[in-house]
RNA sequence: GGUCCCAUCGUCUAGCGGUUAGGACGCUGGCCUCUCACGCCAGAAACACGGGUUCGAGUCCCGUUGGGAUCACCA
C-alpha cells in the first residue's frame, strides 16, 4: 500500500470559509492518521477572480488553524507547462479536439435547450466522427474539448457515498482549454493530482458530479483514478449551502470574534464525523481517531451555539499563562493599555474565564478592571446605592483601608466582620459594593473583584459610590 | 426541468434486525450561592410517509414526499 497523500486545493477568490476549513481539516487529519502527506495547492487558473490577498488570507487561516501542510503551496499558474504537455498528449491521441463554436452560439443553444426543457449539453458540432488527431485551426479562436465516451457508464466508488453510477450519455465534452489557451479546472486538477501522486481526494460533495468526467480524464491520461471521498456540505440555518448571508463564514472572522482554533477545529470535525458519543477531542486524539469510514452521508446545519459552547470549554480549560498571553492582542484591539504586570493580568483573566465564552467577551467583561473609572448603571444604582447602603460602604471602606494584608482572605474577613456585627446577610453588603466597584449587579465574586482592583481603586470607587448615594437621595414628595 | 446525493429530538449525532431509541448544544425546572456564570441533578423533545422482506425493522428493498447539490471558455 503506497503512502497516503491528500491535498487541499482552494481557489483564491476569497477568504477561507468554514466549509473549506472543514475540508482542509479532514484532509489534514486523514493524512496524519495514515502517516501520509498533506499537500496544499492553490487553484488560481481563473486569473480574473484570483487575488494575492485571497491567497494570503487562506494561508494565514490555515496557519491559524494549525493545519500544517507538508508540501506546497503549489500554484497552478506556475505549472502551465505540465498542462500544455498533457493537452498535446490528449490531442495527438485523439482524446481531445479543437472546437470553434463561439461562446455566443453555445449560449444561444443552451438557452434554446432550456426553453424546450432539454438538458443543456454541448451538441458535438466540432467533435470528429472518429477518435483521431485533428489539425488545430488557424486564424480563428478555438477551445480544446475532451472527447468523452458516448455510451456505457462511469462508476464512482466513493468512500462516503458508496457506489454511484453515471450514464456516460449524461456527460458532454467538457472544455479542457479556453480560447486563450489557458487550461480549465477539471483538467488542471486531474493533471496535478496525478503529478502530485494524490491517493485520496476528500472534498465537498458538490464535486461529486464532476467526478465521472475526471475519472475519464485520468484514464485518458493513462492513470488509475485515486480514492474519492465526497463529504456532505455544511448548510446554514435555512438548510441552504452556507454562505455570507448566514453571517460570519470566514475563518478569520472567528479568530477576530475571540474563538480558539482548537474550538473551531473541534466543532468542524464533528460536523459530519463522529466517534461514538465523544464531543471533545484534542489535536492528538483527532489524528488518532479520525477516519473517513466514520464520516456521515447527510449534510449538516452549522450551529453557532454549539461552537460557542465548545469555545467556552477551551476557554475554561486553557492553562492560565497561555490564556493571559492570548488575551493580550484582544486587549489592545479594544484600545486598552498594556496591563500593569503579568501576575495581575492572570489574576484578572482567571476571575472572568468561567463567565466568558470568547476572548472578546472576556475583554468586554473586564472593562471595570481596565478603565480608569466606572459608569454606574442607572437601574443598578437606584436599586442598590440607596441611603441605607451609605453606611455599609463607608464601613467596608474603613476596614479595607486598615487591612494589614490586602488579599482575598483578608477581604473576606472584612465582609465577615461587617455582617456579623450588624447581623445582616452578605448580599446586603456585597451588592452595593459590587455596584460601586463595577457599575453593575453582575461580576465575579466580590472578594476577587476587590483583590484584582487593589486597595487604591477600591477605596476610590467606594467613595464614588457614597457620593452617588448623596446625589440620588429620594425626593421629599 | 435532467442527473446525482441525502432523510433519528429545533440543531450536531450514536444506533450497523430484537434498545425503556443513547449522548451533546440549546431550552425548562431545581440545587449550589454575595450577583452572574461555572458545576451538579431533573425534565420536555426524534426514527418523514406508504408498501414490502422477516418470527421481529430506526436498522434491508421499493415507492412517495421533503431537502440539497450540479448542469459555464468558475473553481
Amino acid at each position: 500500500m503506497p503512502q497516503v497523500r491528500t491535498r487541499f486545493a482552494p481557489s483564491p477568490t476569497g477568504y477561507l470559509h468554514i466549509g473549506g476549513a472543514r475540508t482542509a481539516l479532514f484532509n489534514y487529519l486523514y493524512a496524519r492518521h495514515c502517516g501520509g502527506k498533506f499537500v496544499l495547492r492553490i487553484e488560481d487558473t481563473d486569473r480574473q477572480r484570483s487575488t494575492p490577498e485571497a491567497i494570503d488570507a487562506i494561508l494565514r487561516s490555515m496557519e491559524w488553524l494549525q493545519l500544517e501542510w507538508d508540501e506546497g503551496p503549489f500554484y497552478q499558474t506556475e505549472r502551465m507547462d505540465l498542462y500544455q504537455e498533457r493537452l498535446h498528449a490528449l490531442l495527438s491521441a485523439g482524446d481531445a479536439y479543437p472546437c470553434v463554436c463561439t461562446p455566443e452560439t453555445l449560449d444561444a443553444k443552451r438557452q434554446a435547450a432550456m426553453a424546450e426543457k432539454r438538458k443543456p449539453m454541448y451538441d458535438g458540432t466540432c467533435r470528429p466522427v472518429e477518435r483521431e488527431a485533428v489539425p488545430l485551426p488557424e486564424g480563428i479562436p478555438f477551445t480544446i474539448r475532451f472527447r468523452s465516451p458516448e455510451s456505457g457508464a462511469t462508476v464512482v466508488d466513493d468512500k462516503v457515498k458508496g457506489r454511484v453510477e453515471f450514464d456516460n450519455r449524461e456527460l458532454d465534452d467538457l472544455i479542457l482549454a479556453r480560447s486563450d489557451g489557458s487550461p480549465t479546472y477539471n483538467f488542471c486538477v486531474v493533471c496535478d493530482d496525478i503529478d502530485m501522486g494524490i491517493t485520496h481526494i476528500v472534498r465537498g460533495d458538490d464535486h461529486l458530479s464532476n467526478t465521472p468526467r475526471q475519472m475519464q480524464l485520468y484514464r485518458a491520461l493513462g492513470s488509475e483514478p485515486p480514492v474519492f471521498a465526497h463529504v456532505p456540505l455544511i448548510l446554514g440555518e435555512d438548510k441552504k449551502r452556507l454562505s455570507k448571508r448566514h453571517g460570519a463564514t470566514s475563518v478569520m472572522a472567528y479568530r477576530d470574534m475571540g474563538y480558539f482554533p482548537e474550538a473551531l477545529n473541534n466543532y468542524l470535525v464533528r460536523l459530519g464525523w463522529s466517534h461514538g458519543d465523544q464531543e471533545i477531542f484534542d489535536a492528538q486524539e483527532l489524528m488518532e481517531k479520525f477516519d473517513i469510514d466514520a464520516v456521515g452521508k447527510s449534510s449538516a446545519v452549522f450551529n453557532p451555539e454549539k461552537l460557542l459552547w465548545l469555545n467556552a470549554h477551551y476557554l475554561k480549560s486553557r492553562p492560565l499563562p497561555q490564556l493571559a498571553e492570548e488575551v493580550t492582542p484582544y486587549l489592545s484591539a479594544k484600545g486598552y493599555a498594556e496591563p500593569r504586570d503579568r501576575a495581575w493580568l492572570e489574576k484578572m483573566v482567571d476571575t472572568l474565564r468561567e463567565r466568558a465564552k470568547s476572548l472578546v467577551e472576556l475583554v468586554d467583561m473586564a472593562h471595570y478592571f481596565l478603565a480608569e473609572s466606572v459608569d454606574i448603571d442607572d437601574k443598578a444604582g437606584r436599586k442598590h446605592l440607596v441611603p441605607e447602603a451609605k453606611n455599609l460602604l463607608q464601613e467596608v471602606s474603613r476596614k479595607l483601608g486598615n487591612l494589614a494584608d490586602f488579599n482575598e482572605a483578608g477581604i473576606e474577613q472584612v465582609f465577615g466582620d461587617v455582617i456579623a456585627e450588624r447581623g445582616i446577610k452578605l448580599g446586603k453588603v456585597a451588592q452595593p459594593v459590587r455596584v460601586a466597584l463595577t457599575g453593575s449587579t453582575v461580576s465575579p465574586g466580590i472578594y476577587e473583584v476587590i483583590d484584582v482592583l487593589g486597595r487604591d481603586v477600591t477605596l476610590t470607587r467606594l467613595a464614588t459610590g457614597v457620593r452617588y448615594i448623596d446625589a440620588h437621595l429620594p425626593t421629599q414628595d
Side-chain angles (χ1 to χ4, degrees):
Chain A
M1 176 93 180
Q3 186 187 47
V4 165
R5 293 172 62 82
T6 65
R7 46 67 160 187
F8 177 54
S11 66
T13 53
Y15 53 72
L16 179 64
H17 58 89
I18 294 298
R22 189 188 58 159
T23 302
L25 213 213
F26 280 12
N27 276 286
Y28 166 79
L29 290 176
Y30 188 65
R32 288 288 171 276
H33 177 77
C34 300
K37 298 288 185 202
F38 173 51
V39 348
L40 177 61
R41 183 174 71 224
I42 305 297
E43 314 232 310
D44 54 354
T45 53
D46 183 357
R47 298 182 193 247
Q48 306 301 313
R49 300 198 303 152
S50 299
T51 66
E53 292 74 26
I55 293 174
D56 190 55
I58 291 169
L59 261 29
R60 279 181 19 245
S61 300
M62 300 268 297
E63 283 161 4
W64 182 69
L65 289 170
Q66 294 170 48
L67 303 179
E68 294 163 354
W69 56 93
D70 302 300
E71 293 172 28
F74 298 110
Y75 296 88
Q76 289 189 322
T77 46
E78 292 171 3
R79 301 167 56 81
M80 290 301 163
D81 291 351
L82 171 72
Y83 313 133
Q84 284 310 318
E85 183 205 307
R86 296 294 157 90
L87 196 57
H88 286 118
L90 253 25
L91 244 12
S92 50
D95 285 322
Y97 61 88
C99 168
V100 296
C101 297
T102 64
E104 292 72 28
T105 60
L106 255 21
D107 199 50
K109 285 179 180 175
R110 191 161 27 240
Q111 297 300 332
M114 301 270 263
E116 293 169 42
K117 302 217 172 175
R118 286 190 350 259
K119 186 179 170 67
M121 285 174 63
Y122 176 61
D123 60 4
T125 304
C126 299
R127 178 179 168 122
V129 182
E130 299 296 324
R131 177 169 173 269
E132 59 185 357
V134 302
L136 299 182
E138 279 175 53
I140 53 166
F142 63 90
T143 60
I144 306 291
R145 283 186 188 269
F146 179 60
R147 182 190 174 88
S148 58
E150 36 200 343
S151 62
T154 302
V155 173
V156 182
D157 195 8
D158 196 89
K159 280 271 267 179
V160 350
K161 301 287 185 184
R163 181 193 151 96
V164 185
E165 185 174 322
F166 293 86
D167 189 326
N168 288 341
R169 281 170 302 192
E170 293 293 330
L171 277 17
D172 63 1
D173 290 355
L174 88 162
I175 290 178
L176 265 23
R178 304 179 181 91
S179 49
D180 66 359
S182 64
T184 59
Y185 166 76
N186 278 294
F187 180 56
C188 295
V189 206
V190 173
C191 291
D192 282 331
D193 286 333
I194 292 173
D195 191 61
M196 295 175 185
I198 301 304
T199 59
H200 297 253
I201 294 181
V202 182
R203 76 222 310 192
D205 71 7
D206 51 335
H207 286 282
L208 185 56
S209 53
N210 287 325
T211 307
R213 280 201 250 248
Q214 291 180 3
M215 288 177 69
Q216 292 169 359
L217 271 170
Y218 269 90
R219 292 185 176 125
L221 255 9
S223 296
E224 265 311 294
V227 174
F228 289 98
H230 287 94
V231 310
L233 261 20
I234 300 177
L235 274 25
E237 216 108 44
D238 57 359
K239 301 274 179 86
K240 292 265 194 285
R241 184 180 180 154
L242 197 65
S243 72
K244 296 111 269 174
R245 307 193 331 274
H246 299 98
T249 54
S250 104
V251 168
M252 282 318 195
Y254 282 91
R255 182 200 59 184
D256 295 344
M257 289 188 293
Y259 286 79
F260 295 105
E262 291 87 341
L264 196 52
N265 281 337
N266 196 153
Y267 177 71
L268 255 19
V269 79
R270 284 283 293 103
L271 234 40
W273 174 81
S274 61
H275 183 77
D277 281 344
Q278 190 171 347
E279 296 286 350
I280 311 281
F281 299 87
D282 64 40
Q284 192 57 42
E285 264 184 306
L286 247 21
M287 290 184 224
E288 287 162 14
K289 294 176 173 170
F290 181 83
D291 199 326
I292 293 172
D293 296 346
V295 173
K297 298 163 116 166
S298 48
S299 44
V301 174
F302 185 79
N303 180 209
E305 260 88 44
K306 189 156 182 182
L307 169 58
L308 193 58
W309 169 75
L310 270 164
N311 203 59
H313 165 81
Y314 284 96
L315 183 48
K316 281 178 283 191
S317 47
R318 219 110 177 123
L320 188 53
Q322 184 188 347
L323 182 58
E325 179 68 39
E326 289 168 323
V327 163
T328 312
Y330 294 87
L331 249 26
S332 35
K334 291 276 172 169
Y336 290 119
E338 277 285 295
R340 321 171 202 176
D341 63 74
R342 206 67 186 178
W344 180 82
L345 209 214
E346 287 187 12
K347 191 153 70 172
M348 179 195 88
V349 165
D350 203 28
T351 68
L352 262 17
R353 69 192 308 186
E354 298 272 278
R355 278 155 256 261
K357 291 188 191 295
S358 75
L359 291 170
V360 166
E361 199 190 335
L362 188 147
V363 169
D364 284 342
M365 292 192 319
H367 71 275
Y368 45 79
F369 287 137
L370 299 162
E372 270 309 305
S373 61
V374 84
D375 289 325
I376 290 172
D377 174 74
D378 215 42
K379 198 175 160 209
R382 274 198 317 254
K383 179 159 184 204
H384 296 285
L385 295 181
V386 293
E388 306 87 278
K390 179 175 175 178
N391 195 253
L392 252 17
L393 257 32
Q394 288 170 324
E395 176 71 0
V396 168
S397 179
R398 193 180 60 76
K399 283 193 156 71
L400 251 17
N402 293 334
L403 196 56
D405 295 314
F406 197 85
N407 54 35
E408 267 194 62
I411 296 162
E412 182 168 1
Q413 185 64 52
V414 166
F415 280 78
D417 290 348
V418 171
I419 63 172
E421 285 160 15
R422 304 191 178 221
I424 56 174
K425 290 210 171 189
L426 183 54
K428 270 289 184 203
V429 44
Q431 280 306 78
V433 171
R434 172 170 284 116
V435 173
L437 262 25
T438 71
S440 95
T441 56
V442 174
S443 85
I446 197 65
Y447 315 137
E448 292 173 83
V449 170
I450 294 171
D451 187 34
V452 172
L453 248 20
R455 177 148 30 201
D456 291 351
V457 177
T458 299
L459 297 192
T460 304
R461 290 195 188 163
L462 250 17
T464 307
V466 169
R467 281 201 296 281
Y468 181 100
I469 294 173
D470 288 339
H472 293 77
L473 289 175
T475 43
Q476 301 293 330
D477 55 11

